[in-house]
Amino acid sequence: MGKHIAAAHIVWDWNGTLFHDNDAIIRATNAAFEEIGLAPITLERYRALYCVPVPKFYERLMGRLPTAAEWDVMDEAFHRHYAQHSAACRLADGVESLLAGWQDAGRSQSILSMYEHEQLVPLVKQLGITSRFVRIDGRTGPSGGSKAEHMVRHLRALRGVAPERTVVIGDAADDAVAALGVGARAVLYTGGSHGRASLEGVGAPVVDTLAEAVREAERIVAAA
């Protein structure tokens, strides 16, 4: 009997990838900065400097790590303003057809996001794409950390998904780090939190559209 080959799988990031929320992110970030007297930044500067864990991003702007009290104030302000501004955001262009095409080809896909789980799940449902995914996981626990440990739990919970046939598609260097940690591959998308210059040193393929990301994922799993 031939060896069973697991189906190809994509783990999608949410914010800045499937969900086009750059405007909400920068508005919420500047609202958080205002709370402690930091000057606002442009989206371009944000994309050049953003990193995780998030306190390190603030350190790049402040010249020092925020205190615990400052972090609490900024974190609360960010999430409060993000909830307000993200209500006007929508899926990235072409997402519905890309998700449908991948699923219709007999492949599986899931979402792993650092957006709070209790807010992520109803939002995905509201946007009408829940049925495209075999699992949807948002963040549980404190905000601001890396996706790596969450990726370990996410893949363990997926049945019939092999890491070597899994591609993580996201907009941040941290997505590639998380993929590497579980033996998966990553494709990084320039339309979200990082510009191309911030992504190209990571070692994963970098693309400008989600359609290119899916084509690259197809190439990766075909060679696995």
Side-chain angles (χ1 to χ4, degrees):
M1 294 180 64
K3 181 181 178 182
H4 173 71
I5 299 177
H9 184 83
I10 290 176
V11 178
W12 290 96
D13 175 55
W14 181 249
N15 302 97
T17 303
L18 292 178
F19 191 54
H20 187 63
D21 60 351
N22 289 351
D23 183 64
I25 290 286
I26 196 65
R27 286 172 178 261
T29 297
N30 282 331
F33 287 175
E34 186 177 3
E35 291 284 337
I36 65 166
L38 288 177
I41 63 170
T42 63
L43 177 60
E44 290 72 24
R45 182 163 170 76
Y46 176 95
R47 282 159 51 86
L49 296 178
Y50 180 75
C51 64
V52 295
V54 177
K56 282 285 188 182
F57 167 54
Y58 291 154
E59 182 182 26
R60 291 181 174 185
L61 293 161
M62 300 170 66
R64 61 173 176 81
L65 284 169
T67 66
E70 287 171 334
W71 166 256
D72 288 343
V73 167
M74 289 192 290
D75 192 48
E76 187 281 330
F78 176 88
H79 286 97
R80 174 162 42 88
H81 286 274
Y82 178 83
Q84 174 188 344
H85 295 298
S86 64
C89 299
R90 295 294 180 264
L91 295 170
D93 290 344
V95 160
E96 294 96 329
S97 62
L98 291 172
L99 297 177
W102 186 264
Q103 184 182 45
D104 292 347
R107 302 157 176 158
S108 61
Q109 54 200 334
S110 59
I111 294 174
L112 176 61
S113 173
M114 297 301 283
Y115 190 39
E116 187 177 356
H117 184 78
E118 297 303 321
Q119 297 184 46
L120 173 66
V121 172
L123 178 56
V124 176
K125 182 177 181 180
Q126 176 188 325
L127 292 168
I129 57 173
T130 298
S131 64
R132 300 299 182 190
F133 306 102
V134 297
R135 187 174 182 88
I136 299 170
D137 283 332
R139 172 182 51 80
T140 57
S143 63
S146 171
K147 185 177 280 187
E149 63 184 77
H150 300 271
M151 185 68 73
V152 172
R153 293 194 294 269
H154 184 74
L155 279 197
R156 283 177 179 167
L158 295 173
R159 294 187 177 184
V161 172
E164 64 272 14
R165 291 184 58 77
T166 297
V167 178
V168 177
I169 297 178
D171 68 321
D174 190 52
D175 291 299
V177 172
L180 180 64
V182 295
R185 300 281 297 278
V187 177
L188 300 179
Y189 164 60
T190 64
S193 63
H194 286 48
R196 176 173 284 276
S198 300
L199 297 175
E200 287 186 330
V202 178
V206 178
V207 299
D208 295 321
T209 70
L210 293 180
E212 290 177 84
V214 171
R215 288 195 295 271
E216 187 64 21
E218 290 173 336
R219 184 195 66 78
I220 288 170
V221 296

